[in-house]
Amino acid sequence: MANAKGSAFLLAGGTDLLVRMKSGAIDPELIVDIKRIPATQAITKTASGFKIGAGVPCAQLGRDAALVKAWPGVVEAANLIGSDQVQGRCTVAGNLCNASPAADSVPAMVAARAKAAIVGAGGRRSVAVEKVVTGPGRTSLEKGEFIEAIVLPTPAPKSGDAYLRFTPRTEMDIAVCSAAVNLTLGPKGVVTAARVVLGAVAPTVVLVPAAAKAIIGSTLDDDALANLAAACEAACAPIDDKRGTVEFRTEVAGVLARRAAKLAYERAGGK
Amino acid sequence: MAGVHVSTTVNGDDVEFVCPGSESLLDVLRNRLGLTGAKEGCGTGDCGACSVTVDGQLVCACLMLGAEVEGRQVQTVEGMAQGDQLHPLQRQFIENAALQCGICTPGFLMAAKALLDRNPDPTETEIRYALAGNLCRCTGYDKIVRAVSATAKELSQEATTKGSKKR
Ligand SMILES: Cc1cc2nc3c(=O)[nH]c(=O)nc-3n(C[C@H](O)[C@H](O)[C@H](O)COP(=O)(O)OP(=O)(O)OC[C@H]3O[C@@H](n4cnc5c(N)ncnc54)[C@H](O)[C@@H]3O)c2cc1C
Ligand code: FES
Ligand code: FES
């Protein structure tokens, strides 16, 4: 691929690539189908977590009982992408590399501390998912580099994650804004660690450390949740368009983060 | 883009074709193999009129390249009926008047079949979610959902009578 003369594109599920080819936005000289590399086709449970091959369609994530149990938020985010037809093709690595600010699986992967296993002519490297996208449609991948797998850690004991999005329709719609939360509980249901991530409110997904700080040390009481929502609102820099105004996206981001935190808390075993 | 030679199986028949690497499976089916059941409503994955299955997985043929089906099993709406014998879903679509212009019908049939293969007794909500990737501009969805429910009932009754005969 690195030696291709014209434009070369990697094909995973093709659910973004083929739409862009159809619209004439791109006219690839070379298309490389990553799914023909057998190692990209499997979800493997390793000592340190899960390795999701870059060719694995999102529907397969939902069928993997161990993955659903470990990372329900990541799986629910991946399974929100498109219809059953799209689910049968689309991948989380493709969702990431397409670099849409509204990509559903990305906030959940960032909250889960997922890493992208990248391969290129220069060898292999492992990069935090939040470092891959640099702006709408842009990634930090070098020419000839591709993501071989998305690697999720083993969740900490007593932890839980959740992802919620707002869309006008329940299915087949792009997130107006979204929130993912991953948290860990200590004794007496006190939050000891948290990651709060927002989608579709800025050029890339945003990790909001201030929101995490607002709930760490709390039992997710109303004050902590109000502080979490306020920190999320402060982190929003959304666009204004027909799908949602700045004010609307900002407010809903706070509400979604609050609800996602509650859901993650329940999943972690908190009451 | 250079031509790609592809050997695959479509509705149980071995098929070979050559197509440009950038040609969609939908264009291959319709223009090279003469299988015009799958329709192009949008060409961008939104309408489901092009739904087919590949190795049993429901997909939009417009979102796959022809080159991607090398060595796979493709099923289209043309493979649903057994000779003159319509598939129960096809019969129930007619009996429940679940189509008007019919453009969306092949896609709905393939999506409904994929649902019933995996979940023989779906609730109305499950049917609506499973068909969310298919759009119909004429009929409305109630009759389509009813046709799928009726087929599920018919197939489960058939299965129980067959089961009791065996015993
Ligand atoms: C009808 C429809 C509905 C949709 N709904 C949603 C939705 O609700 N939410 C959502 O987030 N998205 C949605 N999408 C967008 C799309 O389905 C997702 O972004 C999907 O996850 C893309 O994955 P893919 O494997 O199909 O990517 P592809 O189309 O194969 O690739 C996308 C881009 O990433 C590059 N790429 C792919 N894999 C790699 C890799 N391993 N390494 C390096 N580069 C790579 C490709 O070259 C291409 O530029 C929808 C699309 C359609 C057609
Ligand atoms: S033509 Fe393929 S989804 Fe509309
Ligand atoms: S019957 Fe015409 S679009 Fe469905």
Side-chain angles (χ1 to χ4, degrees), chain B residues 104-120:
Chain B
C104 67
T105 312
F108 270 104
L109 287 169
M110 293 306 290
K113 182 164 185 302
L115 168 67
L116 295 183
D117 285 349
R118 129 175 84 84
N119 177 0

Side-chain angles (χ1 to χ4, degrees), chain B residues 29-80:
Chain B
L29 290 173
R30 292 182 56 84
N31 304 338
R32 293 186 194 275
L33 304 180
L35 295 171
T36 54
K39 303 283 184 276
E40 180 169 278
C42 63
T44 53
D46 295 292
C47 76
C50 64
S51 299
V52 300
T53 61
V54 175
D55 288 352
Q57 171 71 57
L58 186 70
V59 299
C60 294
C62 72
L63 289 186
M64 267 185 90
L65 298 175
E68 286 184 271
V69 298
E70 169 71 38
R72 308 269 182 231
Q73 300 275 343
V74 182
Q75 284 287 333
T76 70
V77 72
E78 283 88 348
M80 252 179 125

Side-chain angles (χ1 to χ4, degrees), chain A residues 147-165:
Chain A
I147 295 179
E148 177 185 42
I150 297 291
V151 180
L152 287 166
T154 304
K158 290 183 79 180
S159 68
D161 75 327
Y163 173 78
L164 293 171
R165 68 173 186 180

Side-chain angles (χ1 to χ4, degrees), chain A residues 108-203:
Chain A
M109 289 196 288
V110 172
R113 297 186 178 81
K115 293 213 157 69
I118 298 173
V119 187
R124 283 162 201 274
R125 61 192 181 107
S126 171
V127 172
V129 161
E130 59 269 32
K131 297 270 160 57
V132 174
V133 179
T134 53
R138 287 201 316 273
T139 71
S140 57
L141 296 179
E142 306 283 339
K143 191 170 187 241
E145 272 191 334
F146 70 93
I147 295 179
E148 177 185 42
I150 297 291
V151 180
L152 287 166
T154 304
K158 290 183 79 180
S159 68
D161 75 327
Y163 173 78
L164 293 171
R165 68 173 186 180
F166 176 81
T167 54
R169 292 171 65 197
T170 49
E171 284 276 282
M172 296 291 283
D173 211 338
I174 303 164
V176 173
C177 65
S178 65
V181 176
N182 171 25
L183 51 76
T184 306
L185 304 184
K188 298 201 187 102
V190 172
V191 178
T192 55
R195 302 256 286 178
V196 179
V197 186
L198 303 176
V201 295

